[in-house]
Amino acid sequence: EAQVTQNPRYLITVTGKKLTVTCSQNMNHEYMSWYRQDPGLGLRQIYYSMNVEVTDKGDVPEGYKVSRKEKRNFPLILESPSPNQTSLYFCASSLARETYNEQFFGPGTRLTVL
Amino acid sequence: AQSVTQPDIHITVSEGASLELRCNYSYGATPYLFWYVQSPGQGLQLLLKYFSGDTLVQGIKGFEAEFKRSQSSFNLRKPSVHWSDAAEYFCAVDPILTGGGNKLTFGTGTQLKVEL
């Protein structure tokens, strides 16, 4: 089944404790992206990747890192989480052509930083 | 910068009633336009999309949307709402960047409640 998976689905952590949220897709998509969803703000893009070893900042990259060593994986790293990073995070992927390509979303990771 | 406005934060309708969710965008050219639905505890599911051509597009679950260039709007409609339609709905635009990829800009969402 074609899908985007994220782990963990739920995470409660404390300020400053490094964490990684994994994202994996099995559709051989070049483009992957991370969003955060906050009440009243909708979804905002954090980082995106056009292909292996190619990443760039989205609209709200501060406090986050990403890497793209393999095509299928795009982990989101919080080196020193803070309470303002408490949010619902979504990973998404699509083909990377100039015509439209549907973006597939993962199920989300709910992160709480105490 | 491009933006998407969903003016209604919450909407409540009775089951069987018609529904219209509003979406306006601000962008220099006509972008690709989307509506997504997020059921409680779920990810986002694509309802429908508009690229070009017929301005009335049909989607899944009986939804449709109409693109109006003069109003920069892409409103979502359903003739008869079902209780299972209760969810949060997001309008999104893709500016069609050169080089490929999808940079979606989302509206703030409209929470739909359905009264039985």
Side-chain angles (χ1 to χ4, degrees), chain B residues 10-21 78 80-83 85-86 111-116:
Chain B
H10 299 277
I11 282 185
T12 301
V13 300
S14 299
E15 189 175 35
S18 64
L19 171 70
E20 182 170 29
L21 301 182
K78 187 170 185 178
S80 178
V81 170
H82 188 263
W83 64 267
D85 292 325
Q111 187 73 46
L112 174 65
K113 180 180 176 182
V114 180
E115 290 182 333
L116 300 176

Short mmCIF file of all heavy atoms in Angstrom, two decimals, chain B residues 10-21 78 80-83 85-86 111-116:
data_model
loop_
_atom_site.label_atom_id
_atom_site.label_comp_id
_atom_site.label_asym_id
_atom_site.label_seq_id
_atom_site.Cartn_x
_atom_site.Cartn_y
_atom_site.Cartn_z
N HIS B 10 -15.50 28.45 12.42
CA HIS B 10 -16.42 27.37 12.77
C HIS B 10 -17.71 27.55 11.97
O HIS B 10 -18.19 28.67 11.80
CB HIS B 10 -16.77 27.40 14.26
CG HIS B 10 -15.60 27.23 15.17
ND1 HIS B 10 -15.08 25.99 15.49
CD2 HIS B 10 -14.83 28.13 15.83
CE1 HIS B 10 -14.05 26.14 16.30
NE2 HIS B 10 -13.88 27.42 16.52
N ILE B 11 -18.25 26.43 11.53
CA ILE B 11 -19.57 26.44 10.88
C ILE B 11 -20.35 25.25 11.41
O ILE B 11 -19.80 24.14 11.54
CB ILE B 11 -19.45 26.35 9.34
CG1 ILE B 11 -19.06 27.72 8.77
CG2 ILE B 11 -20.76 25.89 8.73
CD1 ILE B 11 -19.04 27.76 7.27
N THR B 12 -21.61 25.49 11.73
CA THR B 12 -22.50 24.41 12.17
C THR B 12 -23.68 24.33 11.22
O THR B 12 -24.32 25.35 10.93
CB THR B 12 -23.02 24.67 13.60
OG1 THR B 12 -21.90 24.76 14.50
CG2 THR B 12 -23.93 23.54 14.05
N VAL B 13 -23.93 23.14 10.73
CA VAL B 13 -25.07 22.91 9.84
C VAL B 13 -25.84 21.69 10.33
O VAL B 13 -25.27 20.83 11.02
CB VAL B 13 -24.66 22.73 8.37
CG1 VAL B 13 -23.93 23.96 7.86
CG2 VAL B 13 -23.80 21.50 8.20
N SER B 14 -27.09 21.62 9.97
CA SER B 14 -27.90 20.45 10.28
C SER B 14 -27.66 19.38 9.23
O SER B 14 -27.43 19.68 8.05
CB SER B 14 -29.38 20.82 10.33
OG SER B 14 -29.63 21.79 11.31
N GLU B 15 -27.77 18.13 9.65
CA GLU B 15 -27.61 17.04 8.69
C GLU B 15 -28.68 17.18 7.61
O GLU B 15 -29.85 17.44 7.91
CB GLU B 15 -27.74 15.68 9.39
CG GLU B 15 -27.36 14.52 8.47
CD GLU B 15 -27.36 13.19 9.19
OE1 GLU B 15 -28.21 13.00 10.08
OE2 GLU B 15 -26.51 12.34 8.86
N GLY B 16 -28.26 17.02 6.37
CA GLY B 16 -29.18 17.16 5.24
C GLY B 16 -29.20 18.55 4.64
O GLY B 16 -29.69 18.73 3.52
N ALA B 17 -28.68 19.52 5.37
CA ALA B 17 -28.65 20.89 4.85
C ALA B 17 -27.48 21.03 3.88
O ALA B 17 -26.56 20.22 3.85
CB ALA B 17 -28.52 21.88 5.99
N SER B 18 -27.53 22.10 3.10
CA SER B 18 -26.44 22.37 2.17
C SER B 18 -25.30 23.07 2.91
O SER B 18 -25.48 23.65 3.98
CB SER B 18 -26.94 23.23 1.01
OG SER B 18 -27.37 24.49 1.50
N LEU B 19 -24.13 23.02 2.27
CA LEU B 19 -22.93 23.56 2.91
C LEU B 19 -22.13 24.36 1.89
O LEU B 19 -22.01 23.96 0.73
CB LEU B 19 -22.06 22.41 3.42
CG LEU B 19 -20.65 22.77 3.93
CD1 LEU B 19 -20.75 23.54 5.23
CD2 LEU B 19 -19.81 21.52 4.09
N GLU B 20 -21.58 25.48 2.33
CA GLU B 20 -20.61 26.20 1.52
C GLU B 20 -19.51 26.72 2.44
O GLU B 20 -19.79 27.44 3.40
CB GLU B 20 -21.23 27.37 0.74
CG GLU B 20 -20.20 28.08 -0.15
CD GLU B 20 -20.81 29.07 -1.11
OE1 GLU B 20 -21.87 29.64 -0.80
OE2 GLU B 20 -20.23 29.26 -2.21
N LEU B 21 -18.29 26.33 2.15
CA LEU B 21 -17.13 26.81 2.89
C LEU B 21 -16.36 27.76 1.98
O LEU B 21 -16.04 27.42 0.84
CB LEU B 21 -16.24 25.64 3.31
CG LEU B 21 -16.90 24.57 4.18
CD1 LEU B 21 -15.87 23.51 4.57
CD2 LEU B 21 -17.54 25.17 5.41
N LYS B 78 -21.42 21.37 -0.75
CA LYS B 78 -22.03 20.05 -0.74
C LYS B 78 -23.53 20.24 -0.59
O LYS B 78 -23.96 20.97 0.31
CB LYS B 78 -21.47 19.18 0.40
CG LYS B 78 -21.95 17.73 0.33
CD LYS B 78 -21.21 16.83 1.28
CE LYS B 78 -21.65 15.38 1.09
NZ LYS B 78 -20.92 14.44 1.96
N SER B 80 -25.96 18.23 0.42
CA SER B 80 -26.62 17.64 1.57
C SER B 80 -25.56 17.04 2.48
O SER B 80 -24.92 16.04 2.14
CB SER B 80 -27.61 16.56 1.11
OG SER B 80 -28.22 15.93 2.23
N VAL B 81 -25.40 17.63 3.64
CA VAL B 81 -24.32 17.22 4.54
C VAL B 81 -24.72 16.00 5.35
O VAL B 81 -25.87 15.88 5.81
CB VAL B 81 -23.97 18.40 5.47
CG1 VAL B 81 -23.03 17.95 6.58
CG2 VAL B 81 -23.33 19.52 4.68
N HIS B 82 -23.76 15.12 5.55
CA HIS B 82 -23.94 13.92 6.37
C HIS B 82 -23.18 14.10 7.68
O HIS B 82 -22.18 14.82 7.74
CB HIS B 82 -23.42 12.70 5.60
CG HIS B 82 -23.71 11.39 6.24
ND1 HIS B 82 -22.80 10.72 7.03
CD2 HIS B 82 -24.83 10.62 6.22
CE1 HIS B 82 -23.34 9.60 7.46
NE2 HIS B 82 -24.56 9.50 6.98
N TRP B 83 -23.64 13.41 8.73
CA TRP B 83 -22.98 13.58 10.03
C TRP B 83 -21.49 13.25 9.95
O TRP B 83 -20.67 13.82 10.66
CB TRP B 83 -23.65 12.71 11.10
CG TRP B 83 -23.54 11.23 10.85
CD1 TRP B 83 -24.42 10.42 10.21
CD2 TRP B 83 -22.44 10.39 11.22
NE1 TRP B 83 -23.97 9.15 10.16
CE2 TRP B 83 -22.75 9.08 10.78
CE3 TRP B 83 -21.23 10.60 11.90
CZ2 TRP B 83 -21.90 8.00 10.98
CZ3 TRP B 83 -20.40 9.53 12.10
CH2 TRP B 83 -20.73 8.24 11.64
N ASP B 85 -19.48 14.08 7.78
CA ASP B 85 -18.70 15.17 7.20
C ASP B 85 -18.10 16.10 8.25
O ASP B 85 -17.31 16.99 7.91
CB ASP B 85 -19.58 16.00 6.25
CG ASP B 85 -19.99 15.22 5.00
OD1 ASP B 85 -19.17 14.41 4.52
OD2 ASP B 85 -21.14 15.42 4.53
N ALA B 86 -18.47 15.91 9.49
CA ALA B 86 -17.90 16.74 10.56
C ALA B 86 -16.40 16.54 10.61
O ALA B 86 -15.91 15.41 10.79
CB ALA B 86 -18.53 16.35 11.90
N GLN B 111 -13.69 24.58 10.88
CA GLN B 111 -14.17 23.43 11.61
C GLN B 111 -15.67 23.28 11.36
O GLN B 111 -16.44 24.19 11.66
CB GLN B 111 -13.90 23.62 13.11
CG GLN B 111 -14.21 22.40 13.95
CD GLN B 111 -13.18 21.30 13.76
OE1 GLN B 111 -11.99 21.53 13.77
NE2 GLN B 111 -13.66 20.08 13.58
N LEU B 112 -16.06 22.16 10.80
CA LEU B 112 -17.47 21.91 10.49
C LEU B 112 -18.08 21.00 11.55
O LEU B 112 -17.58 19.91 11.82
CB LEU B 112 -17.62 21.26 9.12
CG LEU B 112 -19.04 20.81 8.75
CD1 LEU B 112 -19.97 22.01 8.64
CD2 LEU B 112 -19.03 20.01 7.46
N LYS B 113 -19.18 21.47 12.13
CA LYS B 113 -19.95 20.66 13.06
C LYS B 113 -21.29 20.36 12.40
O LYS B 113 -21.91 21.23 11.80
CB LYS B 113 -20.16 21.41 14.36
CG LYS B 113 -20.96 20.65 15.41
CD LYS B 113 -21.11 21.49 16.69
CE LYS B 113 -21.99 20.78 17.72
NZ LYS B 113 -22.17 21.62 18.93
N VAL B 114 -21.74 19.11 12.52
CA VAL B 114 -23.01 18.70 11.92
C VAL B 114 -23.96 18.31 13.03
O VAL B 114 -23.66 17.41 13.83
CB VAL B 114 -22.81 17.52 10.95
CG1 VAL B 114 -24.15 17.11 10.34
CG2 VAL B 114 -21.82 17.89 9.86
N GLU B 115 -25.09 18.99 13.07
CA GLU B 115 -26.11 18.69 14.08
C GLU B 115 -27.09 17.66 13.53
O GLU B 115 -27.56 17.80 12.39
CB GLU B 115 -26.85 19.96 14.48
CG GLU B 115 -26.00 20.93 15.28
CD GLU B 115 -26.78 22.16 15.70
OE1 GLU B 115 -27.73 22.53 14.99
OE2 GLU B 115 -26.43 22.76 16.74
N LEU B 116 -27.39 16.68 14.36
CA LEU B 116 -28.32 15.63 13.91
C LEU B 116 -29.77 16.06 14.09
O LEU B 116 -30.07 16.95 14.89
CB LEU B 116 -28.04 14.34 14.69
CG LEU B 116 -26.62 13.78 14.52
CD1 LEU B 116 -26.42 12.57 15.41
CD2 LEU B 116 -26.39 13.42 13.05
#
